[in-house]
Amino acid sequence: MEAVHRMTSILLSEHAPANAHVLVLGAGGGLELKALAEAQPGWRFTGVDPAGPMLDLAREAMGPDAGRADLVQGYIEDAPPGPFDAATCLLTLHFLGREDRVQTLQEMRRRMKPGAPLVVAHSSFPQEEPARARWLSRYAAYAIASGADPAQVEQARAAVAASLVLLRPHEDEACLRDAGFSDVETFYAAFTWRGWTARS
């Protein structure tokens, strides 16, 4: 995800000011916050995540930059009204069904300034068989080739297949448009992962 974090900073900075206030939905763990804070020293952040322990990890991960982030435990409805200069949602939307996904994106857009940039990235690949099984096998093969334990990879593969709400890439793009975003563009595609940028 290091490359995606770097790309996210570049894409947001095309339209966000040097002193931007950025909404980060799914901020738990803090790797995204840390990367954006280091790349953009003038930005401040509001990070939202339902898991308190993950937000504690985010504070720790940000280190000396933690003071630039307000961390909110909850969901998008618990986020302050903004308006924000930019927003991100990485590795989060694939936990939501289509209706909830669109509603979440609408709530994000409602909190963003007109024309503000959004970056999202998550699992998105063909869902018809046998293509679905083939892409899940490729996901597993890549993890094993990267040094992961095969038994753990198989557990992860089964969990992805069972627990994530996976849409086809064109359906994910439609969710963004249905939520009111424009200028939807794919910026990242790697095996089972896709990333898009859009404007509020």
Side-chain angles (χ1 to χ4, degrees):
M1 286 301 293
E2 182 180 344
V4 172
H5 292 156
R6 191 176 303 120
M7 293 177 203
T8 297
S9 173
I10 292 169
L11 290 166
L12 295 183
S13 66
E14 289 177 350
H15 302 288
N19 63 344
H21 188 183
V22 181
L23 173 63
V24 177
L25 183 62
L31 296 181
E32 175 186 357
L33 284 167
K34 175 180 171 64
L36 293 177
E38 290 177 350
Q40 302 290 340
W43 288 2
R44 59 193 176 96
F45 307 91
T46 293
V48 181
D49 197 278
M54 294 299 289
L55 290 177
D56 291 338
L57 287 176
R59 288 186 189 91
E60 184 177 339
M62 290 190 75
D65 290 316
R68 293 162 53 197
D70 294 322
L71 301 181
V72 178
Q73 183 174 354
Y75 299 91
I76 184 59
E77 295 81 5
D78 301 300
F84 293 93
D85 299 291
T88 71
C89 188
L90 304 185
L91 309 187
T92 297
L93 290 176
H94 55 205
F95 292 108
L96 304 176
R98 191 189 191 284
E99 183 177 339
D100 289 339
R101 198 173 300 200
V102 172
Q103 183 177 349
T104 294
L105 288 166
Q106 287 174 333
E107 289 296 322
M108 291 187 76
R109 182 173 173 267
R110 191 164 65 84
R111 290 163 168 78
M112 298 167 66
K113 293 179 179 178
L118 168 74
V119 171
V120 301
H122 49 265
S123 291
S124 180
F125 55 93
Q127 294 301 299
E128 65 277 4
E129 296 293 1
R132 174 185 164 90
R134 182 168 62 247
W135 281 107
L136 284 170
S137 293
R138 289 168 173 168
Y139 161 84
Y142 182 82
I144 292 170
S146 301
D149 176 74
Q152 291 181 342
V153 169
E154 183 51 38
Q155 290 178 347
R157 180 188 185 280
V160 167
S163 64
L164 298 187
V165 183
L166 301 169
L167 300 181
R168 299 166 180 84
H170 74 273
E171 293 172 326
D172 268 308
E173 292 184 14
C175 287
L176 286 162
R177 294 191 178 95
D178 289 350
F181 287 94
S182 61
D183 299 339
V184 178
E185 294 182 303
T186 302
F187 76 90
Y188 183 78
F191 273 22
T192 59
W193 303 101
R194 294 290 185 279
W196 294 269
T197 184
R199 303 281 297 280
S200 64

